[in-house]
Amino acid sequence: MKFDHSVDATGLLCPLPLLKSKRQLNQMDSGQVLQVIATDSNAEQDLRKFCEQSGDTFLAAEPQDDCQLLYLQKK
């Protein structure tokens, strides 16, 4: 998936992947896509819930061998 910015949250546990993602989203323009690389098994659930509350869009989750790639679009 094409993305504009990326956050590497590998090795970080909740709530750090969410906090790093939120910080990056605050610096982005509307419509841009953020890729989050995470190893925390709760990151997808946390980011989905965050998007529901913030109005941003959770686009996709792509499992990889040792991490997951999560994609969010800024509202």
Side-chain angles (χ1 to χ4, degrees), residues 1-61:
M1 177 175 285
K2 185 179 175 188
F3 57 92
D4 301 290
H5 298 275
S6 182
V7 167
D8 184 355
T10 56
L12 301 178
L13 299 177
C14 181
L16 293 176
L18 173 61
L19 294 174
K20 286 187 77 164
S21 301
K22 184 177 178 183
R23 185 179 307 138
Q24 182 61 51
L25 283 167
N26 286 337
Q27 299 175 15
M28 293 169 51
D29 295 328
S30 180
Q32 287 188 317
V33 174
L34 174 64
Q35 176 195 60
V36 181
I37 307 165
T39 51
D40 181 359
S41 61
N42 293 323
E44 180 180 350
Q45 178 183 353
D46 292 345
L47 289 170
R48 283 183 184 274
K49 190 170 202 172
F50 168 76
C51 286
E52 288 174 12
Q53 295 172 352
S54 68
D56 299 309
T57 304
F58 188 95
L59 297 174

